[in-house]
């Protein structure tokens, strides 16, 4: 063997030995993670992560083609419970570390923040806690950090951007951080997204954020931020989304904010901001799709130029002091889906409420709220509901339309609709029969006290049986009719009572419940199929229970004045819940100790998500009673465990 050949062999041997050593180190680090997992419902580790196989073949592991070292660790969404071991910091070539959507708890080891090769760190949606203020973020390759939806607390680290020169996204929302937003964030020169929503951050928004010229998203809603919006924020050339809703901001909104051509979403909801809108808002915000200025102190007119913002889908000005005419050209907003201009001082330029005629061009609109304005006039003849496939009951608020004219088949002589029991709209399905005005028995509403008397105070002698959600009683009404009443509604004090919640039904002569019945139900709780077909089923009970859940946790009744036309309690929750659970929940439910805020918020979100699954329009797609019970028990157990862990911290 020549000297050169010997050298080659030695070098090859050293390379093989080094590779084996690296794999051994990586394997030890990963096995340490396996040892820290206390609950593995899919048996991911038991079946796959074994020392008898190469780590490069393990589920969730990706190795480099040449180095054969672990470069990706992704075990997202396996519902794992346990803690994160410090040995993960020894994965010297790791580029992606994704442990998101599990139930991992405890602190993040400091070794994680010293991984020089790491580009993506994703620990979102776990139960991690502790403070980050003492950590040194020495991660020069890092592009994105996502620690949202956890229980981190303390102040944001002042040095977080000192050694993160390439960071593009920082997501710390839905935690319990407090204190000020550090001005040193301006050192993250490559930052494109800053997401700090749903924390307890206070103080002013640092003007230094205006130096982050590559920012596309600033999401700071649902904190306790104070002071004015910095002028510098309006100079960001690429900003797409600016969300500052539900804070304590004051003052006039900088003109530069309304002059950002790249902006698609602007939400300033629920602050104490004032001023007026620019007269040519269509030119200053040509790409705006979502504009929410609700619950502030804005005043002045709605500029007619807003109707040229052709991409606008959500437009909310409710709860301000806007005055003047609602633009008659508002129908030019062909992509509009949600319009809420309630509780202002807006009027119509004509007695015929011509802006409503214009809105008939908005074929995508789903929610229209005009309440609380001094509107006075006659509905235009263009509002015609015939030839559609409308479903559901006629809103009780129609009774207040004293000058109602030209609404499909309703004649002008309808006048006061206070005695209307059913309404025929022609070629529709209104929740009653298709024979025009029905008898008073077609739709009947009963008070709790009436049913209390009719069932002899829910005497056991009148008990027919016990169902999925409650007992069923026979009620003998004063006119001699016998009906079955079941389940519960909620009174003004949010106390549940057994009532005609969903499946009150006529009994036949043999005291047997008939399968095809006329439906007696409380408006708002009744499943859609009851009104169309008159059929009862356990799926309808599920729908009614879902409405009750929504009522309990939003503090709103399905018969509240806000729910008119197509806007029902169920629709309202479904529309706003994806935006934020804080948009729909009763805020009194989150008035307890702040350290439990994240846990309670997550539980409320889970409950309302379950309620939406109960109220799906198609009966066959709704969850069943067993799934409801299982879901509620799981939510309860998660909340108890979460609160317990927070108490341990304290």
């Amino acid at each position: 063997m020549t000297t050169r050949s010997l050298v080659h062999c030695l070098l090859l041997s050293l390379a093989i030995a080094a590779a084996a050593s690296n794999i051994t180190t990586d394997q030890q680090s990963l096995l340490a993670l396996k040892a820290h997992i206390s609950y593995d419902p899919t048996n991911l580790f038991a079946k796959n992560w074994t020392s008898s196989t190469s780590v490069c073949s393990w589920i969730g592991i990706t190795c480099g083609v040449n180095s054969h070292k672990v470069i990706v660790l992704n075990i997202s969404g396996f519902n794992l419970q346990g803690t994160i071991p410090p040995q993960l910091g020894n994965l010297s070539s790791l580029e992606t570390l994704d442990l998101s959507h599990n139930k991992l708890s405890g602190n993040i080891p400091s070794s994680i923040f010293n991984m020089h090769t790491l580009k993506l760190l994703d620990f979102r949606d776990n139960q991690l806690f502790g403070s980050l203020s003492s950590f040194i973020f020495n991660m020069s390759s890092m592009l994105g950090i996502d620690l949202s939806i956890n229980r981190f607390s303390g102040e944001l680290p002042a040095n977080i951007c000192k050694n993160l020169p390439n960071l593009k996204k920082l997501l710390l929302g839905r935690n319990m951080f407090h204190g000020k937003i550090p001005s040193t964030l301006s050192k993250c020169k490559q930052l494109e997204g800053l997401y700090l929503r749903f924390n307890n951050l206070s103080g002013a928004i640092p003007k230094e954020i205006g130096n982050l010229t590559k920012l596309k998203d600033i999401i700071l809603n649902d904190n306790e931020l104070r002071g004015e919006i910095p002028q510098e924020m309006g100079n960001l050339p690429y900003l797409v989304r600016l969300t500052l809703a539900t804070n304590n901001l004051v003052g006039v909104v900088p003109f530069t904010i309304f002059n950002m051509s790249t902006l698609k979403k602007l939400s300033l909801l629920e602050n104490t901001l004032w001023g007026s809108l620019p007269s040519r808002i269509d030119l200053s915000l040509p790409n705006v799709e979502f504009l929410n200025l609700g619950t502030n102190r804005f005043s002045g007119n709605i500029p007619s130029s807003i109707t040229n913002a052709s991409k606008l889908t959500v437009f909310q000005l409710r709860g301000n002091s806007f005055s003047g005419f609602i633009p008659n050209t508002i129908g030019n907003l062909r992509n509009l889906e949600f319009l809420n201009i309630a509780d202002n001082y807006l009027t119509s330029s004509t007695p015929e409420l011509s802006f409503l005629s214009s809105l008939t061009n908005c074929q995508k609109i789903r929610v229209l709220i005009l309440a609380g304005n001094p509107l006075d006039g006659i509905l235009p003849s263009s509002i015609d509901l015939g030839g559609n496939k409308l479903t559901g009951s006629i809103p009780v608020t129609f009774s207040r339309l004293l000058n109602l004219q030209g609404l499909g088949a309703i004649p002008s002589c309808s006048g006061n609709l206070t005695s209307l029991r059913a309404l025929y709209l022609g070629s529709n399905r209104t929740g009653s029969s298709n024979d025009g005005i029905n008898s008073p028995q077609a739709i009947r509403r009963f008070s709790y006290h009436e049913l209390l008397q009719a069932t002899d105070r829910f005497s056991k002698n009148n008990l027919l049986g016990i169902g999925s959600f409650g007992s069923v009683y026979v009620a003998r009404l004063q006119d001699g009719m016998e009906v079955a009443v079941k389940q519960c509604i909620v009174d003004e004090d949010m106390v549940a009572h057994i009532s005609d919640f969903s499946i009150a039904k006529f009994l036949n002569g043999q005291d047997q419940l008939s399968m095809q019945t006329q439906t007696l139900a409380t408006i708002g709780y009744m499943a859609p199929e009851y009104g169309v077909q008159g059929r009862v089923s356990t799926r309808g009970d599920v729908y009614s229970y879902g409405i009750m859940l929504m009522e309990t946790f939003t503090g709103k009744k399905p018969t509240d004045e806000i729910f008119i036309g197509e806007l029902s309690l169920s629709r309202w929750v479904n529309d706003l819940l994806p935006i934020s659970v804080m948009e729909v929940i009763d805020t009194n439910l989150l008035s307890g100790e702040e350290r439990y805020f994240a846990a309670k918020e997550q539980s409320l979100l889970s409950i309302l998500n379950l309620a939406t699954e109960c109220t799906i329009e198609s009966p066959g797609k709704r969850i069943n009673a067993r799934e409801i019970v299982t879901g509620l028990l799981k939510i309860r157990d998660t909340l108890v465990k979460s609160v317990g862990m927070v108490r341990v911290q304290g």
Side-chain angles (χ1 to χ4, degrees):
M1 179 180 293
T2 64
T3 302
R4 179 175 295 179
S5 299
L6 179 60
V7 171
H8 285 167
C9 289
L10 288 172
L11 291 174
L12 181 60
S13 299
L14 287 171
I16 294 173
S21 175
N22 289 332
I23 288 295
T24 300
T25 301
D26 287 356
Q27 185 184 66
Q28 290 174 346
S29 301
L30 295 172
L31 290 176
L33 173 60
K34 176 181 178 180
H36 277 69
I37 299 299
S38 58
Y39 178 63
D40 176 15
T42 64
N43 290 318
L44 165 70
F45 296 112
K47 293 182 178 180
N48 188 263
W49 283 33
T50 62
S51 57
S52 60
T53 58
S54 168
V55 296
C56 296
S57 66
W58 293 359
I59 292 176
I61 302 298
T62 302
C63 292
V65 176
N66 297 319
S67 67
H68 300 289
K69 297 179 67 176
V70 176
I71 59 173
V72 174
L73 169 54
N74 183 348
I75 50 174
S76 172
F78 281 94
N79 205 28
L80 302 169
Q81 295 182 20
T83 58
I84 302 173
Q87 290 90 335
L88 284 186
N90 296 329
L91 296 171
S92 57
S93 296
L94 196 65
E95 298 178 4
T96 298
L97 177 55
D98 188 350
L99 307 182
S100 62
H101 303 297
N102 285 293
K103 296 181 180 179
L104 302 174
S105 58
N107 292 279
I108 300 178
S110 59
S111 60
I112 299 296
F113 297 113
N114 289 293
M115 302 177 72
H116 300 289
T117 60
L118 201 59
K119 296 180 180 179
L120 173 64
L121 176 65
D122 191 350
F123 287 170
R124 63 183 154 160
D125 192 16
N126 277 285
Q127 299 170 5
L128 300 168
F129 54 81
S131 173
L132 304 180
S133 58
S134 62
F135 289 135
I136 298 175
F137 292 79
N138 190 14
M139 311 163 84
S140 57
S141 300
M142 181 59 66
L143 300 177
I145 298 176
D146 191 346
L147 305 180
S148 56
I149 317 179
N150 279 285
R151 300 168 190 167
F152 296 111
S153 57
E155 297 187 355
L156 297 178
N159 64 346
I160 191 170
C161 288
K162 183 177 181 180
N163 295 303
L164 295 172
N166 298 304
L167 188 67
K168 292 186 176 182
K169 291 193 175 182
L170 179 62
L171 299 96
L172 303 177
R174 296 186 184 276
N175 281 286
M176 296 178 284
F177 292 112
H178 65 262
K180 297 181 178 181
I181 299 175
S183 60
T184 51
L185 281 174
S186 61
K187 294 182 180 180
C188 289
K189 297 295 185 182
Q190 305 301 315
L191 198 63
E192 297 178 0
L194 177 62
Y195 308 85
L196 303 177
R197 62 181 180 176
F198 289 103
N199 280 287
N200 300 312
L201 298 171
S202 58
I205 300 172
K207 64 180 181 179
E208 289 81 0
I209 286 182
N211 297 328
L212 297 172
T213 56
K214 294 189 177 181
L215 271 175
K216 296 180 180 178
D217 290 341
I218 300 178
I219 312 298
L220 306 180
N221 57 283
D222 293 270
N223 280 285
E224 299 173 14
L225 299 172
R226 299 181 178 276
E228 298 184 351
I229 300 174
Q231 293 276 351
E232 293 80 359
M233 194 173 286
N235 298 326
L236 297 170
Y238 303 111
L239 197 64
V240 175
R241 295 197 301 164
L242 176 59
T243 301
L244 306 177
T246 318
N247 279 288
N248 300 308
L249 301 173
V250 299
V252 176
V253 177
F255 176 78
T256 51
I257 296 294
F258 289 119
N259 196 31
M260 305 179 76
S261 61
T262 57
L263 203 62
K264 291 185 178 181
K265 179 176 182 178
L266 175 61
S267 180
L268 305 178
L269 174 73
E270 293 182 356
N271 283 285
T272 314
L273 301 167
W274 58 82
S276 59
L277 299 179
S279 60
R280 290 311 307 268
I281 195 170
D282 59 321
L283 298 180
S284 55
L285 294 175
N287 292 301
V288 67
E289 299 174 1
F290 184 108
L291 182 58
N292 191 343
L293 308 180
T295 319
N296 279 283
R297 297 181 182 176
F298 291 109
S299 58
N301 296 330
I302 300 178
S304 59
S305 63
I306 189 65
T307 63
N308 295 326
S310 59
K311 298 179 181 179
L312 194 63
T313 59
V314 173
F315 186 30
Q316 172 152 256
L317 302 178
R318 71 171 173 87
N320 281 285
S321 297
F322 286 106
S323 58
F325 298 144
I326 301 172
N328 290 330
T329 54
I330 198 166
N332 292 344
L333 299 173
R334 301 298 177 92
N335 290 305
L336 195 64
E337 298 180 10
F338 183 103
L339 175 62
N340 186 350
I341 52 177
D343 300 318
N344 282 282
Y345 302 98
L346 298 166
T347 59
S348 173
S349 61
T350 66
E352 293 80 18
L353 305 180
S354 52
F355 70 91
L356 284 177
S357 295
S358 178
L359 280 171
T360 60
N361 296 318
C362 302
Q363 297 184 8
K364 297 181 180 179
I365 199 163
R366 295 182 294 136
V367 177
L368 173 61
I369 305 176
L370 309 174
N373 284 289
L375 292 170
D376 185 16
I378 300 173
L379 289 180
S381 60
S382 57
I383 306 298
D384 189 339
L385 303 182
N388 292 294
K389 295 182 179 179
L390 304 176
T391 62
S393 303
I394 303 301
V396 295
T397 50
F398 269 43
S399 64
R400 303 190 185 99
L401 301 176
L402 301 183
N403 295 312
L404 184 65
Q405 296 184 30
L407 185 60
I410 304 176
S412 59
C413 59
S414 295
N416 191 333
L417 304 179
T418 55
S419 61
L420 184 67
R421 295 282 181 163
L423 184 63
Y424 180 61
L425 295 179
S427 302
N428 289 295
R429 292 179 292 166
T430 64
S432 59
S433 74
N434 293 326
D435 296 324
I437 303 298
N438 290 331
S439 67
Q441 295 176 352
I443 300 176
R444 294 185 60 177
R445 304 176 65 188
F446 299 90
S447 71
Y448 170 67
H449 297 288
E450 286 179 299
L451 293 174
L452 193 68
Q453 182 178 7
T455 58
D456 190 20
R457 305 190 67 83
F458 297 105
S459 167
K460 290 183 178 180
N461 295 329
N462 293 323
L463 181 65
L464 295 177
I466 299 176
S468 303
F469 296 122
S471 302
V472 185
Y473 294 82
V474 61
R476 295 170 177 85
L477 304 178
Q478 291 182 352
D479 57 8
M481 185 186 304
E482 289 187 341
V483 300
V485 295
K486 180 182 178 180
Q487 296 194 8
C488 59
I489 59 175
V490 182
D491 66 13
E492 295 296 332
D493 298 316
M494 301 305 287
V495 176
H497 299 289
I498 295 175
S499 183
D500 62 324
F501 191 59
S502 65
I503 62 165
K505 297 173 287 198
F506 284 90
L507 300 177
N508 63 21
Q510 289 73 39
D511 287 342
Q512 299 295 318
L513 294 179
S514 58
M515 291 302 295
Q516 180 70 25
T517 69
Q518 287 182 277
T519 303
L520 302 178
T522 303
I523 293 176
Y525 298 90
M526 181 173 60
E529 63 269 18
Y530 287 169
V532 177
Q533 302 170 345
R535 291 187 178 274
V536 296
S537 70
T538 57
R539 294 291 183 180
D541 294 347
V542 167
Y543 181 94
S544 302
Y545 185 77
I547 295 296
M548 189 192 71
L549 281 179
M550 292 179 180
E551 179 178 358
T552 301
F553 291 97
T554 65
K556 296 184 181 297
K557 294 179 177 295
T559 54
D560 283 351
E561 292 185 0
I562 184 178
F563 303 123
I564 58 176
E566 293 186 3
L567 182 62
S568 63
L569 174 59
S570 175
R571 186 64 174 269
W572 181 74
V573 171
N574 274 279
D575 285 345
L576 296 182
L577 190 60
I579 299 174
S580 167
V581 68
M582 298 300 295
E583 294 280 346
V584 295
I585 62 168
D586 182 350
T587 54
N588 292 324
L589 297 176
L590 288 179
S591 60
E593 298 179 60
E594 287 187 359
R595 60 177 178 166
Y596 299 148
F597 184 91
K600 292 167 67 176
E601 181 192 22
Q602 186 60 41
S603 295
L604 292 168
L605 176 61
S606 298
I607 290 171
L608 288 175
N609 278 329
L610 186 142
T612 62
E613 293 184 73
C614 294
T615 54
I616 296 173
E617 185 170 349
S618 172
K621 295 182 179 180
R622 295 173 198 152
I623 58 176
N624 58 40
R626 185 182 298 275
E627 291 170 317
I628 292 174
V629 174
T630 301
L632 289 175
L633 289 174
K634 183 177 180 181
I635 294 169
R636 180 202 64 183
D637 293 344
T638 300
L639 177 62
V640 171
K641 183 176 180 181
S642 299
V643 171
M645 294 182 69
V646 174
R647 285 176 174 168
V648 170
Q649 293 181 63

